[in-house]
Every structure is written in structure tokens, then in C-alpha cells.
Amino acid sequence: MAVTHTNGFPRSFERKYIVKPLQDDSVGGDLEHSWSKRLALWAAVLTLANVVADLVIGSPMMVLPQLMEHFETDQAAWLNAGAMLAGAIWSPLLAKSSDIFGKRRALLITLLLACAGALICLLAPELWIFLVGRFFQGAAFAAVFLTVALTQQICKPTVAMALVGVLTSGSSVVGIIEPFLMQPIIESFGYRGVFAAGALLAVTAALGVRLFIPESPIRTGGRIDVVGALLLGGGLGTTLAYLSLGSAAGWLSGGMLALLAAGVTPLAGWMFLALRIDEPIIDIRALTRPVLLTLLALALAAGSFRSMLQLMGITTQVSPTLGLGYGLGGGDAIAALLGAANLGIVLGGVAAGWIAGRVGPALPLLGGIAVGTAATFGMLAGVSLLPLAIACGAMLGVAAGAIGASGYNLATSLEIPERQGMIAGLVSVMLALGSVVVNIVGGEVLKATRVSGLSVDAPVSTAAGVHLYITLAGVLFAVAAVPVIALSRNVFRYRKHRDGMPQQVRA
């Protein structure tokens, strides 16, 4: 007789098609089962925590010239990418810690680290001290996946999936108004105003989490593989640094090759260690085929979306009067495009979460990828027509919101609750990795098709180069649908198997 799981399904079938509820009544006795005032408060507090992450990554870009002048440096790339790279280093450690010690506790530590980092940046007299502050601020990158993993364990599945849609996209509302809020602060206090606001926001979010958010009911126990965390985090951060800086510094220059070696070597060491110890920081032996398919789809889709945002920023700086065959020139154009994209992210994330709570997250993920593919190819004409570009930008935002919310929901639903923190952290890392890699590939395409001899402030590329860029992004979007379709077929077969069982067995 086949050995069965607690829900009555053969273990061999579950191992092959790992599709299971996030948790049920056996997980904890006080799960939020419907929308209420308490859940609305949780949503507000956790969204505020995610706003901290957005502020850490995005707001310093508003004062980048002032930072370069104050610290007398031309290393804009390090000032720009430092927090994101630090986030890649922090994420594995914080993800594993959340499974062992609790998601709320890990989220509190994350926000306090972000606050401390902002204060260091605020007071830093030297560039190296400022970069230390950015390293601590980068811990805020983990806030998004920690709020997702926490939500999955304090709410019923249908409510959790809807709330995840709000959390992963709600901060985009702030993204629409952030420049208008930050500009008066920057004018009054200079670049330090950004970091003072970041510290205040982080400590406010931490107080909200401490006072109002319950702790996750599931802990794994065990210990943290500190060596593995350092190897994985350091390897990821250094490899991302190579990918981020290689285009400007030269991919094959001595310094860049040394940086690449400094990233690949610890990653190889981590993989060797993870296969030999019982409790690695990420148990790669436990990553099932459905989880790997999900991560692949998310990396491709996130990279495509981010690369299209990058292209929109470029095309808005090109005047149509240059006669290049594209151009949306004007400051109002970029504001309209980014505003439409941010609004689309909110709509897409909330809708995907609501749909996932009723039919599962695979369908809205596939729908988001389909919308993103259509919007990307629509930009072939949109690069020279502002109204069409705005419509495509809104659609890309809808796609990004749906992909982010559904990606977290799907990946965590494919894991046992004891490993949901780890897998949510892995989703964040893959989203960042996909974004960096595809942005770099697109940048290289534009560089290879650059137009010379024009008296313009910024370098421009040919229309053929821009169209090739868009085509590559669209193809990657379409390819991202392949693993999701394969996974959806497994889900369908699992449900068919389940529905064919007697009711008492399915219970």
C-alpha cells in the first residue's frame, strides 16, 4: 500500500507535483480568515515596511549629484548599486533566520538595521563610512520577502494571497508621490534629508511591526550555517557587482576579472558546503522541479520588465526632431510613463492576489506574463508615440504587479511552511538577479548600435538597436511563460487526481 501524506495523497505524487496549501488549521489557532479592521492595520504596517525598502533603493538616486560632489568621487555606480548589492548579501542570512527565529523578529531586525544604516549615511564624514551605512541600509531589501512569508503564516490561504498582492504592489502608490514629497526635504536639508527621512520611516515601521503584527506560529529550530551564509551572500553580492559595473569598467579588465573570481569562488564553496552539511543556508537538494521552474520564470519576467523601464527612461530623453525613428523627448513624458507604470503595478498586484486566493497563483502569473509580452511588443510602435507608450507602460506595470505577487504566492505555496522564509528570500534574489542581467544585456545592445556625430547631451542609439532591445525583452517575456505553462499542467493533473478521490480521502 502506498504511503500517504496527511491529506491522503501518495507521497510519490506530491514529490512530483508539489502543490499544497500554504497551511491549514493545524498551523496555528489564530489565523486571520477574512478582511477586517485588524487585517487592514496589518496591511498598512507591512506596506510601510516595504516602503522603507523602496526608499532605501530609490531615493538616494534623487541626490546622486550632491553625493558625488560632497564625497568628491566619480563612482556613481557604487553609490547607486551599493544598497542593492548589500541586499543580496543580507537576504540568505535573514531568510534562514526568519524560519528559525520567526518572521516578525527578522523583520524588526531588518528595519532596525536599515535605520542604523540611514543614520550612518546621514553622519558619514568619509566615503567609506557612507558605504558602510549603505551596506546596513541594504538589509531593507529583505523586508519585502519577510512581509510575504509572515503574511502566509498569520492569515488563511485565500486572505494571505490577496494580502500579498497588496504588500508587493502597494508601495508603488508611494512611488508615484515620493518625488513630490522628497523634493522639499532635499531643498531644505540637502542630500542628508533623504537619509533622515529614511531613518525616521524605518523606526516608525519597526514600531508598527512591534506593536501590531503577531509573530509567525511556525519555527524550524536548528542553527544557522553562518559560513554558508557568508559564502552565499558574499558571492552573490560580488557577482552582482561585476554584472553591474563591468560594462563601465570593462568586462575583461584586470579589476573586473578579479571581482568576478571573488564572486564565483565563494559561490562554488557555498555549493560544495550545502551538499555536505545537514542544515545549509539554502538546501539546494530540497529545491523541487516546480520551485525551480517558478524561479526561472520570475527571473526572466522581472528582467524583461526592468529592462523596459530602463528603455522608457532612455527614449524620453531623445527628441523626435533628431529623426532617429523614435523618441518621446520631454520631462513630462517620463513622469507620465512612470506614473502609469506605478499605477499599473498596484492594480496588477491587488488583482493577482485576489485571483490567486480563488483559483491559485499559477493562472495570474501566466496572465501577467501574457500582458507583459503584449505590452513589450506594443512598444515597438510606442517608442515614437507617447499615448501608446503610456498605455504600454500601464500594461507593463499591471504585468509587473501580477508577476511579483503571484511569484511570491506560487513559490511559497510550493514549500512546506517551515521553509517559506527561505524560499521567499530566494524569490527576491532571483528577481534582482534577472533585473540586473537583462538590463546589462539591453545596455550592451544599445551601446553596440550607438549613433555618433550628433550634438546631443546623452548618447543615443539607432532605431534598429532600440527595436532589437524591445524584441529581446519581448522574447524573454514569452520564454518566461514556458515554465509556468509546464507547472500549470502539473497543477491541473494534481487537482484532477485529487478530485477523483472519494470525499473522505480528500479531507
Side-chain angles (χ1 to χ4, degrees):
M1 181 176 178
V3 179
T4 59
H5 192 269
T6 53
N7 63 4
F9 293 96
R11 285 192 185 276
S12 58
F13 193 93
E14 290 199 340
R15 279 196 298 269
K16 186 174 182 180
Y17 299 113
I18 310 292
V19 180
K20 46 216 283 271
L22 298 174
Q23 66 257 358
D24 53 24
D25 292 335
S26 64
V27 171
D30 193 29
L31 300 181
E32 195 68 18
H33 62 276
S34 63
W35 284 92
S36 62
K37 292 182 179 179
R38 182 172 73 158
L39 188 63
L41 178 62
W42 291 359
V45 171
L46 295 177
T47 299
L48 182 62
N50 288 341
V51 170
V52 174
D54 286 354
L55 189 71
V56 164
I57 301 299
S59 289
M61 297 308 98
M62 300 177 65
V63 293
L64 189 59
Q66 295 95 313
L67 288 171
M68 295 173 66
E69 180 181 0
H70 178 79
F71 291 112
E72 298 179 349
T73 179
D74 59 356
Q75 296 299 315
W78 284 109
L79 295 173
N80 183 6
M84 178 68 78
L85 301 178
I89 296 173
W90 281 108
S91 291
L93 180 61
L94 290 169
K96 184 66 175 180
S97 298
S98 73
D99 285 335
I100 295 177
F101 302 113
K103 275 68 177 176
R104 186 186 73 158
R105 183 176 299 178
L107 181 58
L108 277 172
I109 293 172
T110 294
L111 294 170
L112 293 176
L113 285 171
C115 179
L119 292 175
I120 293 173
C121 292
L122 176 66
L123 303 173
E126 303 289 343
L127 178 60
W128 71 269
I129 298 177
F130 177 84
L131 293 177
V132 169
R134 290 294 279 164
F135 174 78
F136 283 104
Q137 265 198 303
F141 181 76
V144 177
F145 71 76
L146 289 173
T147 59
V148 168
L150 179 59
T151 297
Q152 302 284 21
Q153 295 186 358
I154 61 177
C155 300
K156 292 286 187 179
T158 54
V159 176
M161 288 189 178
L163 184 53
V164 165
V166 174
L167 297 180
T168 56
S169 60
S171 58
S172 293
V173 175
V174 179
I176 298 174
I177 62 175
E178 179 187 342
F180 304 100
L181 297 176
M182 293 302 299
Q183 198 58 45
I185 296 175
I186 295 171
E187 291 174 357
S188 300
F189 303 101
Y191 80 86
R192 288 185 173 88
V194 168
F195 299 101
L200 181 61
L201 189 64
V203 75
T204 302
L207 285 173
V209 171
R210 178 66 181 84
L211 293 174
F212 302 114
I213 305 299
E215 183 56 278
S216 53
I218 299 174
R219 316 281 177 82
T220 62
R223 64 181 184 84
I224 297 176
D225 174 24
V226 178
V227 174
L230 293 175
L231 288 173
L232 177 58
L236 283 172
T238 308
T239 302
L240 284 174
Y242 171 78
L243 294 174
S244 300
L245 307 175
S247 178
W251 297 106
L252 299 179
S253 65
M256 285 296 100
L257 289 177
L259 192 64
L260 177 61
V264 173
T265 301
L267 285 176
W270 161 73
M271 185 170 294
F272 176 78
L273 185 65
L275 294 173
R276 292 178 62 87
I277 64 175
D278 293 332
E279 296 183 48
I281 196 75
I282 293 178
D283 190 354
I284 55 180
R285 295 163 297 189
L287 294 178
T288 60
R289 180 172 174 269
V291 169
L292 294 174
L293 288 173
T294 302
L295 295 176
L296 174 61
L298 294 178
L300 293 172
S304 300
F305 166 69
R306 291 296 175 186
S307 70
M308 288 305 297
L309 279 187
Q310 176 178 263
L311 183 67
M312 286 180 181
I314 293 171
T315 54
T316 55
Q317 299 176 31
V318 178
S319 172
T321 60
L322 292 175
L324 294 173
Y326 70 95
L328 301 168
D332 293 339
I334 186 62
L337 283 169
L338 294 181
N342 279 318
L343 181 60
I345 289 173
V346 176
L347 296 176
V350 172
W354 183 84
I355 294 170
R358 284 150 180 78
V359 301
L363 182 61
L365 176 58
L366 187 58
I369 292 173
V371 171
T373 304
T376 299
F377 283 115
M379 279 299 294
L380 288 170
V383 290
S384 56
L385 297 172
L386 182 57
L388 179 58
I390 293 174
C392 291
M395 290 174 63
L396 282 167
V398 169
I403 289 165
S406 303
Y408 280 110
N409 277 330
L410 181 57
T412 51
S413 71
L414 296 172
E415 270 293 354
I416 61 174
E418 289 80 4
R419 288 203 297 264
Q420 286 179 338
M422 178 272 292
I423 204 67
L426 196 53
V427 167
S428 286
V429 171
M430 293 303 294
L431 291 175
L433 184 61
S435 298
V436 171
V437 171
V438 180
N439 271 349
I440 289 171
V441 172
E444 291 299 309
V445 169
L446 295 181
K447 184 188 297 185
T449 57
R450 190 161 292 170
V451 177
S452 59
L454 293 178
S455 55
V456 292
D457 295 334
V460 294
S461 302
T462 65
V466 170
H467 290 155
L468 177 60
Y469 183 114
I470 295 171
T471 302
L472 288 174
V475 168
L476 287 178
F477 248 133
V479 172
V482 176
V484 181
I485 291 172
L487 182 59
S488 299
R489 292 177 61 189
N490 287 348
V491 172
F492 174 78
R493 292 176 64 185
Y494 181 89
R495 288 177 175 167
K496 183 178 180 181
H497 178 91
R498 175 198 63 190
D499 294 341
M501 288 184 168
Q503 183 64 39
Q504 64 270 24
V505 176
R506 282 186 273 136

